[in-house]
């Protein structure tokens, strides 16, 4: 099991960074190749801190560049594919999302076959399972229940089709005569330090007299801490490389959650930030059915204007549904097949994330002080 090498795509992302760090610190890897689309000074500093025997190679390239992917995969034992355009607001064009999430994944699978990479782990999303309606209730859902998203929106559709491609590629013949083994990790909302969604929520609240706007009060979700999400990928890599475990993991997908309490997204934001004086905005908000029908109206306006003007609504039906559904999953299958147990407890995850939010609040206060001087 020792002396293997791993390529991590999306290595500059929230999840990808943690996977790179964890591979270096916890695994007997000889090399980690970190594929970045944009590589900053901050990333360079973080990677230089990884004092270890493992070699960390930075590759700057795009998931749509087939030549780059072939070079990146040469001599690699495992590919962990986290690169994706995560867009539930409709900010990016449909074609961009499909290109990166679907075409990019297929490009990487093809590169693995060409370079004879035997192990491929895909970072998927619970969005491939739904929810299809805010009236639908899924509590502690399991893999064998076959939940599937019916949304045509580019993000859930592209992640669903990419996951299908990855699982269908399991058993493919490699160029050297070996066999490709694949699995997918389905993740819910990932939180923790540097989470861009929480960053936006906190910064918006700080500009609004420390009041958090409610947007997801009707949801019951089980978010996962970023360290636990990364850990599941490490265990999947171990499992697929282990001849004793591999057969039960190949071609499978796994829901990964942790012991974060089931709660609404609004309550999660409040719980993580209340120590720093943030509280809910008590202003009136639209009832859920009205939000949904308003979203439909805005989508219709956007569709009708498309020939002459690219109008992007502030929200859509998929977003309203996702943020206001009872939609939680169990990690029992991952526990059984991968030996997955959350590495970080809820209390520790809450403390780490809250401390990071505290730095944001202090930075905001310092900025205001400078402006007033």
């Amino acid at each position: 099991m020792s002396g293997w090498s791993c390529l991590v795509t999306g290595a500059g992302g929230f999840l990808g960074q943690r996977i790179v760090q964890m591979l270096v610190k916890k695994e007997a890897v000889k090399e980690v190749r970190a594929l970045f689309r944009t590589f900053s000074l901050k990333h360079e500093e973080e990677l230089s801190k990884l004092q270890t025997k493992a070699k960390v190679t930075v590759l700057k390239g795009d998931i749509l560049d087939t030549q780059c992917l072939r070079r990146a995969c040469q001599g690699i034992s495992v590919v962990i594919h986290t690169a994706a355009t995560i867009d539930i607001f409709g900010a990016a064009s449909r074609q961009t999302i499909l290109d990166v999430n679907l075409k990019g994944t297929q490009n990487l699978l093809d590169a693995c076959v060409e370079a004879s990479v035997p192990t491929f782990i895909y970072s998927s999303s619970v969005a491939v399972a739904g929810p299809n309606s805010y009236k639908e209730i899924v509590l502690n859902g399991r893999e064998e229940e076959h939940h599937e998203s019916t949304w045509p929106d580019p993000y859930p559709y592209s992640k669903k089709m990419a996951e299908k491609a990855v699982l269908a590629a399991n058993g493919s013949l490699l160029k050297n005569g070996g066999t490709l083994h694949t699995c997918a990790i389905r993740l819910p909302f990932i939180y923790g330090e540097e989470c861009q969604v929480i960053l936006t929520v906190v910064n918006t609240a700080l500009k609004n007299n420390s009041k958090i706007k409610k947007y997801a009060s009707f949801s019951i979700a089980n978010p996962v801490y970023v360290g636990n999400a990364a850990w599941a990928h490490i265990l999947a890599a171990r499992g697929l490389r282990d001849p004793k475990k591999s057969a039960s993991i190949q071609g499978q997908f796994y829901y990964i959650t942790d012991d974060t309490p089931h709660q609404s997204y609004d309550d999660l934001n409040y719980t993580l930030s209340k120590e720093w004086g943030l509280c809910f905005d008590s202003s009136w908000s639209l009832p859920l059915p009205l939000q949904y029908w308003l979203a439909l109206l805005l989508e219709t306006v956007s569709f009708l204007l498309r020939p002459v003007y690219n109008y992007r609504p502030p929200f859509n039906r998929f977003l309203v549904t996702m943020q206001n559904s009872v939609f939680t999953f169990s990690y029992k299958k991952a526990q059984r097949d991968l030996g997955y147990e959350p590495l970080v407890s809820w209390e520790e995850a809450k403390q780490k994330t809250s401390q990071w939010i505290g730095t944001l609040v202090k930075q905001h206060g310092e900025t205001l002080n400078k402006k007033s001087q």
Side-chain angles (χ1 to χ4, degrees):
M1 295 287 284
S2 65
W4 55 287
S5 53
C6 186
L7 168 67
V8 180
T9 72
F14 179 44
L15 175 63
Q17 287 181 56
R18 299 299 181 106
I19 291 173
V20 170
Q21 291 165 11
M22 209 169 269
L23 280 166
V24 167
K25 290 174 182 175
K26 291 187 174 289
E27 296 301 290
V29 285
K30 61 183 179 186
E31 183 186 7
V32 177
R33 288 184 199 164
L35 182 64
F36 291 78
R37 190 163 62 91
T38 51
F39 184 66
S40 66
L41 185 64
K42 180 186 168 217
H43 291 134
E44 195 173 334
E45 288 168 357
E46 284 172 356
L47 291 177
S48 67
K49 288 176 193 169
L50 296 175
Q51 299 298 330
T52 172
K53 292 175 185 173
K55 179 184 176 187
V56 180
T57 306
V58 172
L59 301 172
K60 193 175 175 190
D62 196 286
I63 202 73
L64 295 173
D65 183 343
T66 54
Q67 293 300 109
C68 164
L69 295 182
R70 285 187 184 183
R71 287 193 301 271
C73 287
Q74 289 299 323
I76 286 290
S77 318
V78 177
V79 164
I80 298 178
H81 178 36
T82 75
T85 296
I86 301 171
D87 186 345
I88 56 174
F89 298 98
S93 73
R94 182 180 185 86
Q95 196 56 53
T96 298
I97 297 168
L98 291 177
D99 280 350
V100 174
N101 294 358
L102 184 50
K103 190 177 176 185
T105 301
Q106 191 58 62
N107 287 347
L108 192 56
L109 286 167
D110 293 343
C112 285
V113 170
E114 280 294 309
S116 299
V117 179
T119 306
F120 189 106
I121 294 144
Y122 177 59
S123 289
S124 189
S125 165
V126 296
V128 308
N132 294 317
S133 163
Y134 62 80
K135 295 173 185 174
E136 176 187 2
I137 293 175
V138 175
L139 279 169
N140 291 314
R142 301 188 309 276
E143 289 81 353
E144 57 269 26
E145 291 169 354
H146 303 297
H147 299 286
E148 185 170 317
S149 170
T150 57
W151 290 100
D153 295 61
Y155 179 68
Y157 174 77
S158 64
K159 292 297 284 186
K160 179 176 77 170
M161 298 312 290
E163 186 194 275
K164 284 180 185 288
V166 168
L167 301 184
N170 184 66
S172 296
L173 187 66
L174 301 175
K175 203 163 188 183
N176 67 356
T179 307
L180 178 64
H181 295 148
T182 70
C183 75
I185 303 294
R186 283 190 187 175
L187 298 163
F189 172 66
I190 310 171
Y191 71 96
E193 312 93 289
E194 309 296 330
C195 171
Q196 291 301 301
V197 175
I198 293 176
L199 177 69
T200 302
V201 167
V202 171
N203 283 340
T204 304
L206 291 172
K207 291 171 188 170
N208 186 38
N209 297 319
S210 295
K211 290 186 165 54
I212 302 167
K213 287 200 176 289
K214 288 188 173 186
Y215 65 91
S217 299
F218 301 100
S219 57
I220 298 178
N222 52 344
V224 66
Y225 179 66
V226 63
N228 294 326
W231 179 231
H233 291 76
I234 307 298
L235 292 174
R238 283 185 192 174
L240 279 178
R241 295 187 70 251
D242 185 340
K244 293 176 185 174
K245 289 185 177 180
S246 182
S248 62
I249 301 168
Q250 294 169 26
Q252 299 294 309
F253 67 87
Y254 295 92
Y255 291 115
I256 298 296
T257 57
D258 57 19
D259 301 325
T260 301
H262 293 198
Q263 59 196 300
S264 73
Y265 294 112
D266 285 346
D267 286 341
L268 177 71
N269 291 331
Y270 172 67
T271 300
L272 295 173
S273 61
K274 63 183 178 183
E275 183 184 339
W276 306 103
L278 274 67
C279 59
F280 282 131
D281 189 334
S282 57
S283 59
W284 182 81
S285 58
L286 275 177
L288 182 53
L290 275 179
Q291 286 183 47
Y292 186 85
W293 290 111
L294 180 57
L296 174 60
L297 178 64
L298 293 173
E299 285 177 50
T300 305
V301 170
S302 174
F303 175 76
L304 293 173
L305 289 175
R306 197 165 298 159
V308 290
Y309 179 70
N310 186 21
Y311 167 63
R312 287 183 181 151
F315 57 95
N316 54 46
R317 284 173 296 161
F318 169 64
L319 184 64
V320 169
T321 300
M322 199 185 68
Q323 290 180 340
N324 292 285
S325 293
V326 177
F327 206 60
T328 68
F329 290 90
S330 164
Y331 63 77
K332 294 296 181 195
K333 184 182 174 185
Q335 196 175 38
R336 184 192 72 207
D337 291 0
L338 306 178
Y340 169 77
E341 293 288 348
L343 205 58
V344 183
S345 70
W346 158 239
E347 286 305 318
E348 188 183 346
K350 181 171 63 171
Q351 182 187 17
K352 285 182 172 182
T353 310
S354 179
Q355 283 174 350
W356 168 67
I357 290 171
T359 65
L360 300 178
V361 173
K362 285 169 189 168
Q363 283 169 12
H364 179 75
E366 287 166 6
T367 304
L368 289 180
N369 285 339
K370 283 178 186 174
K371 284 181 180 177
S372 63
Q373 285 170 2

